[in-house]
Amino acid sequence: MRFRAKIVDLACLNHFSRVINTIARLAKTCTLRLTVGKLYFILSDKVANGGVSMWCELCQGNFFDEFQMEGVAAEHNEIYLELVPENLSRALKTAQNAKAVKIKLTNKHCPCLRVAVELPSLSSSSRIVTHDIPVGVIPRRLWNDFREPSVPDFDVSIYLPVLKTMKSVVERMKNLSNVIVIEANLSGEMNLKIETDLVSVTTHFKDLGNPPWASEDGCQSSTQGRDLESMAEARIDIRKLQQLLAGQQVNPTKALCNIVSKRIVHFILLHEDVSLQYFIPALA
Amino acid sequence: LSRIGDELYLEPTESGLSLRAVNSSRSAFASFLFAPLFFQLYEPGGPAPDTQRFRCKVHMKSFLGIFRSLPSLEKSVGKCLILLKPRASRLVLQLHCKYGVTKTHNLAFQECERLQAVFDTRSCSSRLCAPARVLAEAVVHFPLTLAEVTLGTGPGGKISLRNFVEDEAEPSKTMVTELWLAEDEFQSVAVSPGSHITFCLKEFRGLLTFAEASNLPLTIHFDEPGRPVVFTLDDTVLEVHLVLATLSDLQSDSQPTPTNGVSHLPAPPDDFTDDLESYMVALETSTYEGASGGPPSPTFPLHTPQTVQSDPEDGEEDEDGAVPGTPPHKKFRSLFFGSVLAPGGPGPAPTQEVLAEDSDGE
């Protein structure tokens, strides 16, 4: 089992750092899955997370100049690691003007991801900073816990409003209530609602557009035949939503959510080379 | 100085005005000596017939409050007069500002004994001198909340800085950051090979900020672990000393610990040793508890606990939960403070093993 990777391009490093920062704000601990072509940051929906789950996928070729991965076995050419993304975020934070960043999986005293940053210096040799981030190696028999979640049978799928706007609305609502209702319909309308004893506030968004989902097997999709005006809604923990929105450092190319009425909200944020899926379950 | 202690000690001497501070656990001491030339007017002696040197301490916050906003001070204040009035028990600070405005602050003070940590930079076996900028760029890689850092020397004359991991912390959970500086980044390097010391980063950062702002090179004098490390800044009109206690080496005869022991990690090689294959074999055959914490590593010895040297030191607990200063560890020795035999005495008393508390002139 081996893993080494190198980033030399500053723009790529910057981009990678921002992805890690986003992940760090969403999960205290998560699983990093390495394959030949991709990296995945996975949070599976354990009770400890409040039922939230996350699936983030990156193409390694878009970030790394060198990437070598040898999995646990030939027919299972993957590595699953448990780590604290905040550590990785910290290690990359001061690497912003690095000449090169190398990441390697090592096992001196315990398994670690060693991030070695080569920094420019006025002296003849570069400065080297190494960060040994302890990781847990997840054995193969547990890999099933981390499978890609399937897109739920949603009632409504809708594009999100401009994230910055949505974020500031949700931030203010967070001061008033712990629970927020997201509702949307197939006519491109979405409402964010909070209701307390003293006050209820609703923000209406219009003309958002609904993404076209082609059903896989050619059958009618779950939304077919649904009344266009009818709202699907879910009551969710507002802090989880705020965490998701606040963590976005870059505007996604596409941002949408799928609502399964009273069950779960599935957010999909797509950038050119990163895709992030985030599931927030509805409260009872 | 405010990063170190809550009280500011003022001592006017023939060689200048000395401002000092010490922390509550007596493990950090700093002094700034402003030469007479620094001032437009400097009169250390009082008008009274007794030429006894007067020493006092004031609340740091009160003193700082007068100089709260540097930018506005620079714009409006023409002169600052500091006057010690022993009989009135007041330290007077008078700011002469523009437009004829004079602000007079009267601070209550307490008389005190001389505050002096005992140290001798000449007896330190190692010395490093670097521009403040280099050191500032080095510590930026460590989180602001980090308590202690280990400075060490490695092969090829390289100097390393590494975050100190407590013995009690689990090595498999703590991130270790290490930075290597080449010898030629320093203005001078005179170190014993293989030497290292561990000291509190927070107090050092304070001095570093000052050094950077005044563009002065910083000299680090150190010796064996356990003996204080002295940071100095020198200028024509200013002499600064920061003395910090260092962690004593608790190695007796046990093998060197992996995370922070005497056996220093070598300078970063280009390829790292990699024993993952055997680890994976061991892992597959052992039980895995679940997502919490890493799997046990049966092939690698766990961190050997150290016997903590308990010092008869009664440092206060760091209660506010903020960034820790030099922690009131039993392992950190208090700095030796000379017990002053008589006010105006010749200098620090001879060193004793007993860690003398600074008496408050009672």
Side-chain angles (χ1 to χ4, degrees), chain A residues 228-273:
Chain A
L228 294 182
E229 306 288 323
S230 154
M231 290 281 183
E233 67 158 48
R235 286 174 80 238
I236 59 174
D237 183 339
I238 201 173
R239 287 160 300 190
K240 302 273 186 295
L241 178 58
Q242 199 257 351
Q243 242 180 331
L244 173 66
L245 297 171
Q248 296 309 303
Q249 306 203 312
V250 188
N251 255 330
T253 331
K254 269 200 170 81
L256 58 108
C257 76
N258 300 326
I259 305 178
V260 180
S261 229
K262 298 193 178 24
R263 296 284 299 282
I264 198 162
V265 184
H266 173 211
F267 293 89
I268 304 181
L269 302 169
L270 294 171
H271 298 85
E272 271 169 29
D273 31 31

Side-chain angles (χ1 to χ4, degrees), chain A residues 29-280:
Chain A
T29 312
C30 73
T31 300
L32 168 61
R33 173 185 171 200
L34 300 165
T35 66
V36 168
K38 290 194 178 185
L39 291 92
Y40 303 80
F41 291 94
I42 307 167
L43 186 66
S44 51
D45 57 352
K46 304 232 167 41
V47 174
N49 309 326
V52 169
S53 57
M54 170 185 77
W55 180 272
C56 178
E57 209 173 291
L58 301 82
C59 272
Q60 59 91 345
N62 290 325
F63 297 89
F64 295 91
D65 293 279
E66 284 170 29
F67 192 91
Q68 296 157 26
M69 201 273 320
E70 271 168 42
V72 299
E75 59 285 2
H76 302 283
N77 197 17
E78 305 188 358
I79 300 175
Y80 283 66
L81 301 171
E82 197 200 4
L83 60 73
V84 172
E86 172 64 28
N87 284 340
L88 190 50
S89 182
R90 265 188 18 213
L92 296 172
K93 196 160 95 149
T94 51
Q96 293 316 304
N97 60 337
K99 285 156 82 166
V101 174
K102 294 191 206 167
I103 306 181
K104 177 169 169 155
L105 186 58
T106 70
N107 191 11
K108 278 216 171 83
H109 315 290
C110 62
C112 278
L113 267 187
R114 169 165 280 202
V115 179
V117 181
E118 196 185 326
L119 294 160
S121 77
L122 291 177
S123 85
S124 50
S125 46
S126 309
R127 271 182 217 158
I128 311 241
V129 187
T130 57
H131 303 268
D132 283 336
I133 301 169
V135 295
V137 180
I138 301 176
R140 208 164 46 71
R141 64 193 143 77
L142 295 174
W143 287 8
N144 271 331
D145 289 353
F146 305 103
R147 276 172 306 175
E148 178 165 7
S150 43
V151 178
D153 233 358
F154 51 81
D155 298 310
V156 167
S157 177
I158 188 167
Y159 287 114
L160 294 177
V162 171
L163 286 194
K164 202 164 135 197
T165 311
M166 198 174 168
K167 180 174 96 145
S168 62
V169 167
V170 172
E171 249 168 35
R172 275 149 189 72
M173 287 181 165
K174 186 164 88 86
N175 295 330
L176 298 168
S177 167
N178 281 338
V179 175
I180 188 173
V181 173
I182 298 190
E183 60 175 27
N185 63 21
L186 289 170
S187 306
E189 291 172 340
M190 176 191 276
N191 300 327
L192 299 174
K193 302 198 294 199
I194 55 159
E195 195 169 311
T196 70
D197 291 338
L198 294 175
V199 67
S200 58
V201 183
T202 307
T203 304
H204 305 266
F205 296 93
K206 292 197 308 206
D207 298 326
L208 294 173
N210 302 88
W213 284 85
S215 41
E216 286 172 0
D217 48 3
C219 296
Q220 310 244 322
S221 83
S222 57
T223 61
Q224 211 112 10
R226 187 190 164 84
D227 170 24
L228 294 182
E229 306 288 323
S230 154
M231 290 281 183
E233 67 158 48
R235 286 174 80 238
I236 59 174
D237 183 339
I238 201 173
R239 287 160 300 190
K240 302 273 186 295
L241 178 58
Q242 199 257 351
Q243 242 180 331
L244 173 66
L245 297 171
Q248 296 309 303
Q249 306 203 312
V250 188
N251 255 330
T253 331
K254 269 200 170 81
L256 58 108
C257 76
N258 300 326
I259 305 178
V260 180
S261 229
K262 298 193 178 24
R263 296 284 299 282
I264 198 162
V265 184
H266 173 211
F267 293 89
I268 304 181
L269 302 169
L270 294 171
H271 298 85
E272 271 169 29
D273 31 31
V274 183
S275 79
L276 174 65
Q277 295 181 56
Y278 200 67
F279 297 79
I280 305 181

